[in-house]
Amino acid sequence: MARIAVIGAGTGAMAAAARLAVAGHRVAVFERDATHGGGVRRLARDGFTFDTGPGLLHLPAVYRDLFVKTGREPLESCVEMSQVDPASRHVFADGTAVSLPNASRAGVLAALDEALGAGAGERWSALVGRAREAWDATRRPLLEEPLWRDWRVLGRDPYPAVHRRRPLFGRNNRNKRPTTATLAEVARRELADPRLVALLESHALAYGFDPRSAPASATVLPYMEQTFGSWYVRGGMRALADALYERCLARKVEFGFGAEVTGIVEKDGRAAGVELADGRVHEAEFVVAGVDPARLPALLAGRQPYGDDDVRPQDGPGQGAAGRLTVCLALRGAREPGAAHRTIVHAADRAAELAGVFGDGPGPRTPCARPTVTVLRPDDPTTRPDEGHEAVTLTATVAPHGPVDWRNTAAAEAAAGRLAEVAEAAVPGLRERVLWRAVLPPVDGGPVPGPALAGQDGRFLRPGNRTRIPGLYAVGGRSHPGGGPAHAGMSGTLVAGLIVNGDDWHGST
């Protein structure tokens, strides 16, 4: 039995803690905040509750496996989950709307053909079919295995070229140098219809990726959602974090809240514990750091945990590139029957939106007046005081620093008002129903973490779970295999596997 110190109580860190405790180790978690969950948070007020982080779960098998492996109770005995159907409703700039069924390729094809015209569904279906090839090629190295030491082989985009068209990756120019396609190029060449382009690019934008620079392999994002479905946890995603915390407690994991780790103790060249802000030192044979890997040098007195030939925190363009503006709306009036759980209202000017979030040349950025807005309307009695009210959450991907000063309350409120105006395409009369609203700017929620992607010479990979310091491991959404609830949970699985089985472990599946 080894003593293991875990820094942070996010979902990835707790997933690692639960698995390590079941393996017989003594695990202590140190969290500087007053609660667990990391970015999976909840806002509760006047009988209303809102998810202020992720609102839906994709790849639920990650948590099903976690709960089965850490106890006799399966996931569904701890939380109530249901598939969201339709998976999403999309309202495009021209007013066209389409509802896409959950986990049904044939249903999606038929819905797109009916709403956008004959052939639209087949073009989308063909793209998703090619995305499956990219998923099959990268599922193990980018989700189920620790990051390969020879990670540069993942720099080549696995998205397949289209027959009888100019190849979209690995093609040779006159200098015989390989070039790669971006998601935006794939959208333009294979989908053509601007509404289908918006549909594809919205998946990347939701994770904070700029489709103009994201690799073609980002097509796996809609593939995962369409194939494995979108799931809602009764009580919100926070209920899943609560269940994971309770599972950790049941496995005798110790938690210390309000316990800020200020340093990682080293002895004989390996991690040997953590030092807390109050001066206490907790000795351990292993340290699991559930923090942004960019913070590790500060915890190691300047020592670098990754070598020059590793994926470094600053290598990933998604780190801090985008943020999320969240608006929680307490509404009077009941949710109408048949309302979609999730509606995406697409920006009228996609180019202006991308330039406002990610920049477009050396000039100043201007925020998009009508950005893409995701509207979540869960049919969940636990989120509202009674049937005469409704809890609605609006989110938009924005630039976290400039052109809007998010610490300026008036500026943040003005941006929230614009989101509410856009959201009326999903909830008619929304602004007249508002009892109150809470605005959570990106300075509160942090950057949007995205999953690791192959291609673009590895710039969309995340730092590995192994570090160059023996006994020190990195876990969570900003480490391999990246962000999102499922990927963060898998990060915990990988770290636990490395500690239990040794650094030469290659994965359990």
Side-chain angles (χ1 to χ4, degrees), residues 155-448:
R156 184 176 185 272
D157 198 316
Y159 187 79
V162 181
H163 186 57
R164 293 185 179 176
R165 295 188 187 180
R166 185 169 55 176
L168 296 178
F169 80 103
R171 59 181 181 266
N172 291 326
N173 56 22
R174 292 180 180 178
N175 296 323
K176 303 299 183 181
R177 296 178 62 187
T179 60
T180 58
T182 67
L183 187 70
E185 290 175 325
V186 167
R188 184 177 66 251
R189 294 172 186 170
E190 297 188 32
L191 298 176
D193 189 314
R195 296 165 295 185
L196 290 178
V197 171
L199 175 60
L200 176 61
E201 293 187 349
S202 67
H203 287 82
L205 190 62
Y207 284 102
F209 292 135
D210 183 348
R212 302 169 302 178
S213 61
S217 66
T219 53
V220 299
L221 301 176
Y223 169 80
M224 286 190 296
E225 182 175 317
Q226 185 171 313
T227 302
F228 304 108
S230 299
W231 296 76
Y232 176 72
V233 179
R234 181 182 171 88
M237 285 295 291
R238 177 65 186 188
L240 178 61
D242 292 343
L244 181 52
Y245 173 64
E246 293 295 332
R247 176 56 55 88
C248 286
L249 292 179
R251 298 299 166 260
K252 308 303 182 184
V253 175
E254 300 176 3
F255 284 83
F257 294 105
E260 181 178 3
V261 172
T262 56
I264 296 172
V265 178
E266 294 183 65
K267 183 178 180 180
D268 298 329
R270 65 173 290 122
V274 296
E275 183 175 357
L276 304 177
D278 61 9
R280 288 181 296 144
V281 172
H282 181 87
E283 295 181 349
E285 283 77 38
F286 298 94
V287 175
V288 176
V291 299
D292 189 334
R295 290 183 53 202
L296 288 179
L299 297 176
L300 291 163
R303 187 178 177 190
Q304 294 294 332
Y306 297 100
D308 291 338
D309 57 345
D310 293 323
V311 177
R312 304 287 289 273
Q314 62 269 26
D315 289 345
Q319 297 281 0
R324 180 180 290 111
L325 174 62
T326 301
V327 182
C328 303
L329 300 175
L331 304 185
R332 63 173 64 88
R335 180 184 188 271
E336 67 269 23
H341 183 117
R342 176 175 54 161
T343 300
I344 294 92
V345 184
H346 293 267
D349 189 335
R350 173 76 56 181
E353 177 177 38
L354 296 179
V357 176
F358 303 103
D360 190 16
R365 286 179 287 178
T366 301
C368 182
R370 297 180 64 84
T372 297
V373 176
T374 298
V375 183
L376 294 180
R377 307 179 67 187
D379 187 11
D380 182 352
T382 69
T383 65
R384 52 187 183 253
D386 54 51
E387 292 302 315
H389 295 84
E390 183 181 8
V392 172
T393 305
L394 315 179
T395 59
T397 300
V398 297
H401 306 294
V404 176
D405 178 5
W406 296 110
R407 299 187 186 278
N408 183 314
T409 302
E413 288 287 347
R418 291 193 291 271
L419 263 62
E421 181 180 353
V422 172
E424 289 206 325
V427 189
L430 178 146
R431 286 177 291 176
E432 286 71 33
R433 294 175 56 195
V434 175
L435 290 169
W436 53 265
R437 74 184 182 194
V439 182
L440 306 177
V443 292
D444 293 334
V448 178

